[in-house]
Amino acid sequence: MAEPKTASPPVSETEGSAADRAYAATKDAIIRGELESGALLSEAVIAGELGISRTPVHEAFLRLAAEGLLILASRRGAVVRPLSPSEADDVLEMREAIEASCAARVIAGDRVAEVLPELKALLAEQQAAVDSDDLDRFIDADDRLHAAVIAAARNPVASQFAGLLRDRQHRMRNLLIRVKSGQMAAALKDHTKLVRAIEKRDAAAYAETLRTHVNRNRGVL
Amino acid sequence: MAEPKTASPPVSETEGSAADRAYAATKDAIIRGELESGALLSEAVIAGELGISRTPVHEAFLRLAAEGLLILASRRGAVVRPLSPSEADDVLEMREAIEASCAARVIAGDRVAEVLPELKALLAEQQAAVDSDDLDRFIDADDRLHAAVIAAARNPVASQFAGLLRDRQHRMRNLLIRVKSGQMAAALKDHTKLVRAIEKRDAAAYAETLRTHVNRNRGVL
DNA sequence: GCGCGCAAGCTTGCATGCAAGGCGTAGAGT
DNA sequence: ACTCTACGCCTTGCATGCAAGCTTGCGCGC
């Protein structure tokens, strides 16, 4: 799950098992939008491109289907799952629910102090991104901020779910509309309020702010 | 291995693909506790029991590992994931977060009327289970009640996540401690309050009641 | 007796072969 | 001209073979 910040290097991945490489390569192609929605792709093609056999590609496709990125049509092929606006809502809603729950646990578990420095550093990073009008940098920091809150809850199930949602959200971001630069300032303001809510140990305020924050993103899509 | 299926009397599963059968059979064995925590199992064994080859079993193991029921040790085998109390907390916490979110959506989306009959029927079913002191029946109705709320939200992502959590929760129920009969009455009371909260379109009350309800279960484990 | 190395036996990971199923198209029949 | 059928190509699903890795236990040297 820990990918380099600049996640678009050449395709000459030589680490990990063949199945992992097939999984990572295909997922990346889907998320980046290289493979369009509805595209019909076959195991043999991917296998050929990666220089491996169909077996690990088959396993990769199964994983991707389980994660909602592919739809497997038995003996016909695999189609890249088209994403609908309602799906975007669904994903965002789950992210909101999970993150709010995690924030509440961090606050209830009295672990605010140990995450606050990281959160504030990420806020500063986002401010820098806004100042330099660097959208990619902003989005990266955005991801890391939300991920930090979830990680702080130390709930592996939550982290796993959030990871799945994050992938799908990335795909939506890349495929539908890239957030306009003007949105950055508003998002940063939301984030500042979120961190302040954590600092004040106010789980309800966090949840409420998160709700408006997510709704703002929802409108963008 | 291409001999008549003389060795498949116990498992009468004839539907679905071989991979699905391997998945269902293994998952069921894990959830029911037939396979103990920490048990080391190999693909070849399962394949032999089901009369299929290792390939579909391998795929099944991958799915089960992704769902947190197995841990794959490369070239050593697959161990049934031991469950810890903290994992139980994690699972319950996520269930709570997801269900509360779904209830809120049902209420906000003004779909209360269309689920209320089903919920009330399930309450009646639970009452009957309490009267006849039928724990299995109660648990089944319990599952269906919570599932009904989530299904009513019509969020496929939520349903998928809830399904994964339900499996793990079933396993915990079967492995750790079976809820005592005395708990049924309290649980039913909680459920009644939950349904009433939905009826009153009070999402906050639902969330709060759900919190105490889950915490009650948490104490049992 | 004790420690060390090596090999055998298990495991999975992947490649490949084969069969079954879906889909399009061409061709025959009306 | 239109429809129905059958064939061929495409796909996946599964079985099997082979290689590589980890563990373990046995034998050998000390």
Side-chain angles (χ1 to χ4, degrees):
Chain A
M1 298 297 181
E3 303 167 345
K5 290 181 273 185
T6 55
S8 53
V11 202
S12 59
E13 307 279 346
T14 52
E15 56 175 271
S17 68
D20 288 341
R21 273 177 290 150
Y23 168 77
T26 309
K27 184 175 88 170
D28 204 57
I30 294 175
I31 290 178
R32 293 211 331 264
E34 189 177 317
L35 292 173
E36 297 180 19
S37 289
L40 183 67
L41 43 94
S42 78
E43 299 170 358
V45 172
I46 305 292
E49 288 176 0
L50 295 174
I52 59 182
S53 82
R54 289 195 302 111
T55 306
V57 179
H58 184 64
E59 295 171 1
F61 278 24
L62 289 175
R63 285 181 66 182
L64 293 168
E67 294 179 10
L69 293 175
L70 277 184
I71 296 176
L72 299 182
S74 186
R75 277 164 230 264
R76 294 204 309 117
V79 307
V80 179
R81 191 161 201 258
L83 37 73
S84 63
S86 74
E87 180 183 332
D89 280 354
D90 296 341
V91 168
L92 288 175
E93 194 166 283
M94 282 300 100
R95 268 189 79 88
E96 177 190 335
I98 291 173
E99 185 175 331
S101 171
C102 286
R105 185 193 255 202
V106 168
I107 291 170
D110 210 21
R111 283 207 288 266
V112 171
E114 70 187 51
V115 273
L116 213 49
E118 183 180 3
L119 296 182
K120 291 194 170 178
L122 285 167
L123 278 185
E125 167 72 7
Q126 287 205 307
Q127 181 62 59
V130 170
D131 292 342
S132 58
D133 204 50
D134 188 338
L135 190 55
D136 288 329
R137 187 177 171 190
F138 185 85
I139 288 177
D140 182 63
D142 179 285
D143 279 340
R144 285 194 288 159
L145 186 130
H146 290 291
V149 173
I150 288 163
R154 296 199 193 145
N155 182 337
V157 182
S159 295
Q160 184 198 352
F161 284 179
L164 296 176
L165 296 172
R166 179 179 49 84
D167 290 339
R168 295 173 76 161
Q169 197 177 355
H170 273 164
R171 182 176 170 228
M172 298 187 308
R173 258 208 288 255
N174 290 334
L175 279 186
L176 293 179
I177 300 178
R178 294 189 70 81
V179 188
K180 305 180 199 75
S181 300
Q183 297 281 349
M184 284 200 291
L188 177 53
K189 217 162 191 173
D190 289 342
H191 289 167
T192 306
K193 283 181 74 175
L194 286 175
V195 173
R196 201 178 309 149
I198 285 201
E199 194 168 12
K200 288 186 186 169
R201 273 91 170 159
D202 188 342
Y206 191 99
E208 181 55 29
T209 304
L210 185 60
R211 203 164 70 86
T212 65
H213 177 53
V214 167
N215 278 334
R216 197 190 308 280
N217 285 357
R218 194 172 309 198
V220 172
L221 306 179
Chain B
M1 291 298 182
E3 59 206 64
K5 304 173 183 176
T6 55
S8 58
V11 190
S12 59
E13 308 279 347
T14 51
E15 56 173 277
S17 66
D20 288 340
R21 274 178 288 152
Y23 168 77
T26 309
K27 185 174 89 170
D28 204 58
I30 294 175
I31 289 178
R32 294 211 331 263
E34 189 177 317
L35 290 172
E36 297 179 20
S37 289
L40 184 66
L41 43 95
S42 77
E43 298 171 358
V45 173
I46 305 291
E49 289 176 359
L50 294 174
I52 58 180
S53 81
R54 289 194 303 111
T55 306
V57 179
H58 184 64
E59 294 170 1
F61 277 23
L62 289 175
R63 284 182 68 181
L64 292 167
E67 295 179 8
L69 292 175
L70 277 183
I71 297 176
L72 299 182
S74 186
R75 281 174 178 112
R76 294 203 311 118
V79 306
V80 179
R81 191 162 203 256
L83 37 73
S84 63
S86 75
E87 180 184 334
D89 280 355
D90 295 342
V91 168
L92 288 175
E93 195 165 282
M94 281 302 100
R95 269 188 79 87
E96 178 190 334
I98 291 172
E99 185 175 331
S101 172
C102 286
R105 184 193 258 205
V106 170
I107 291 169
D110 209 20
R111 284 206 288 265
V112 172
E114 70 186 55
V115 273
L116 211 49
E118 183 180 3
L119 296 182
K120 291 195 170 178
L122 286 167
L123 278 185
E125 167 73 7
Q126 287 204 307
Q127 182 62 60
V130 170
D131 291 341
S132 58
D133 206 49
D134 188 337
L135 190 55
D136 288 328
R137 187 177 170 190
F138 185 85
I139 288 176
D140 182 62
D142 179 285
D143 279 341
R144 286 193 288 159
L145 187 132
H146 291 291
V149 174
I150 289 164
R154 297 201 192 144
N155 182 337
V157 182
S159 295
Q160 184 197 353
F161 284 179
L164 296 177
L165 296 173
R166 179 177 48 83
D167 290 339
R168 294 173 77 161
Q169 197 177 353
H170 275 165
R171 183 177 171 226
M172 299 188 308
R173 257 206 289 255
N174 290 334
L175 253 57
L176 293 180
I177 299 178
R178 292 188 71 80
V179 187
K180 305 180 200 75
S181 300
Q183 298 281 351
M184 283 199 291
L188 178 54
K189 217 162 189 170
D190 289 343
H191 291 166
T192 306
K193 283 181 72 175
L194 286 175
V195 173
R196 200 178 310 150
I198 284 200
E199 194 169 11
K200 288 186 186 170
R201 273 90 169 160
D202 188 341
Y206 191 99
E208 181 57 28
T209 305
L210 185 60
R211 202 165 70 86
T212 65
H213 178 53
V214 167
N215 278 335
R216 198 190 308 280
N217 284 358
R218 194 172 310 196
V220 173
L221 304 180

